[in-house]
Amino acid sequence: MNTLSLSDALSREELRYMSRASDWRGALMLAGDFALVAIAFALSILSLWLIPVSIALLAGRQLAFAIVMHDCAHRSLFRTKWLNEVVGKWIGGASIDAPFLAYRDYHMKHHRFAGTPDDPDHVLVEGYPVTKDSLRRKFIRDFTGQTFIKELIFSWKDATFAGKLPFLVFQAVMIGALWLAGAIWAISLWWAARIFVFPAIMRLRNIGEHGVALDRYDPEPRRNTHTTSANWIERLTVAPNHVHYHLEHHMFAAVPPYHLPRLHRTLASRGYFDGFDCVSPGYVTVIRKAVRG
């Protein structure tokens, strides 16, 4: 059993440095997400044969914007408080039609009660590991749009104009940009990604974060949360904005996403993860761990 304490693996000075948010680094990360959205649309405009690539990239950036909302909810993407509030609501939440403040309240409960039966996110990974047939059925529901329809009904059940305004503005801006580019039809690719691919990516993200954890009811973070080492293709599609360093995020939620790789390397090099099956080498391994048997 690994008895190395967190204070032995990381000094206060190191943690203080890695917890320092930066407006320019947050803006750079956000700009990179928008650049990849533009590239995804451009690929499909240049050649219809590249539409599947465009859809995969767009679904990955939709998750990236969801992570922008997540990081802004923690007030960790930017150093300036109001930037986190504005970007979290009008870009992060707006892009995926999620209410920013309601999400923050829900997500803080997840962090507060992680490793206990009161964690509201347990429902997302309940029953894992599952059988092959069960996992196949879940992904079939995602890739056929059934999961999206369910989420859509829930999202619009008690909708108000004020609550949906960020989403409507985001869509209007994107449609306007595509109209100026002479390719308004390309908005259909955004929605193809949102309906048929994004739900599967979200499911994979949830499985990788807590579904394959050693024990979701243990207060030890190395047992209730999991990190995945993603390659460059996975970072483009299913693991944007360093979201795969989820164990590190749970240990230090104030650390901005752009410092999570350094935090991971520091802890790993000092043996903090040794003896715990809390880091997977990629999402293929995550899927294998998610299957019972």
Side-chain angles (χ1 to χ4, degrees):
M1 175 64 71
N2 186 346
T3 58
L4 184 69
S5 70
L6 196 51
S7 59
D8 290 332
L10 195 70
S11 71
R12 289 185 179 180
E13 292 73 22
E14 288 172 316
L15 179 58
R16 189 177 299 114
Y17 172 80
M18 285 187 268
S19 298
R20 195 175 301 152
S22 163
D23 287 347
W24 75 265
R25 292 200 65 171
L28 186 63
M29 178 169 280
L30 187 61
D33 291 331
F34 275 113
L36 281 170
V37 168
I39 289 170
F41 281 128
L43 289 175
S44 62
I45 293 169
L46 289 171
S47 172
L48 296 181
W49 291 103
L50 293 175
I51 281 178
V53 176
S54 297
I55 291 174
L57 286 175
L58 287 172
R61 288 315 102 185
Q62 287 167 358
L63 177 56
F65 289 135
I67 302 310
V68 165
M69 175 181 69
H70 164 270
D71 294 331
C72 287
H74 282 283
R75 299 186 177 95
S76 64
L77 186 59
F78 300 99
R79 184 176 180 84
T80 302
K81 181 180 177 180
W82 68 264
L83 278 174
N84 287 303
E85 303 301 310
V86 171
V87 171
K89 177 179 180 178
W90 291 94
I91 295 178
S95 65
I96 59 167
D97 192 15
F100 177 62
L101 294 180
Y103 168 78
R104 171 183 280 160
D105 181 62
Y106 169 90
H107 188 66
M108 292 305 108
K109 290 177 182 175
H110 166 57
H111 275 266
R112 190 178 309 123
F113 297 114
T116 76
D118 296 321
D119 181 356
D121 270 6
H122 276 316
V123 66
L124 299 176
V125 290
E126 192 173 15
Y128 283 96
V130 297
T131 64
K132 277 187 179 180
D133 286 341
S134 175
L135 190 62
R136 186 182 301 113
R137 287 193 298 269
K138 293 177 192 300
F139 279 115
I140 286 174
R141 289 197 296 270
D142 296 337
F143 286 121
T144 56
Q146 296 175 62
T147 302
F148 171 79
I149 294 299
K150 182 179 178 181
E151 293 172 352
L152 183 68
I153 293 171
F154 177 81
S155 173
W156 285 82
K157 184 178 179 182
D158 299 308
T160 64
F161 178 73
K164 293 297 181 181
L165 185 59
F167 162 72
L168 296 173
V169 169
F170 188 92
Q171 288 296 308
V173 170
M174 192 159 48
I175 290 170
L178 290 171
W179 176 75
L180 289 174
I184 195 171
W185 60 268
I187 193 64
S188 63
L189 303 181
W190 176 272
W191 282 101
R194 180 67 181 86
I195 295 169
F196 300 111
V197 184
F198 176 76
I201 291 178
M202 281 294 291
R203 186 180 302 280
L204 186 57
R205 172 200 169 188
N206 290 326
I207 294 172
E209 291 178 352
H210 296 284
V212 296
L214 293 169
D215 186 350
R216 293 185 292 275
Y217 297 95
D218 190 316
E220 163 60 59
R222 288 171 291 185
R223 293 185 59 82
N224 66 47
T225 307
H226 185 267
T227 274
T228 305
S229 297
N231 60 41
W232 69 270
I233 294 177
E234 290 170 331
R235 292 196 298 272
L236 278 176
T237 52
V238 301
N241 292 15
H242 307 303
V243 64
H244 50 295
Y245 294 112
H246 199 61
L247 172 54
E248 295 77 7
H249 167 66
H250 262 265
M251 290 190 296
F252 300 110
V255 172
Y258 34 83
H259 289 320
L260 288 176
R262 178 172 181 169
L263 176 59
H264 173 79
R265 289 193 301 269
T266 301
L267 293 175
S269 68
R270 295 171 187 174
Y272 187 69
F273 303 129
D274 293 354
F276 291 88
D277 186 12
C278 58
V279 180
S280 289
Y283 282 91
V284 172
T285 300
V286 165
I287 295 232
R288 287 173 181 158
K289 288 181 177 180
V291 174
R292 188 185 309 145

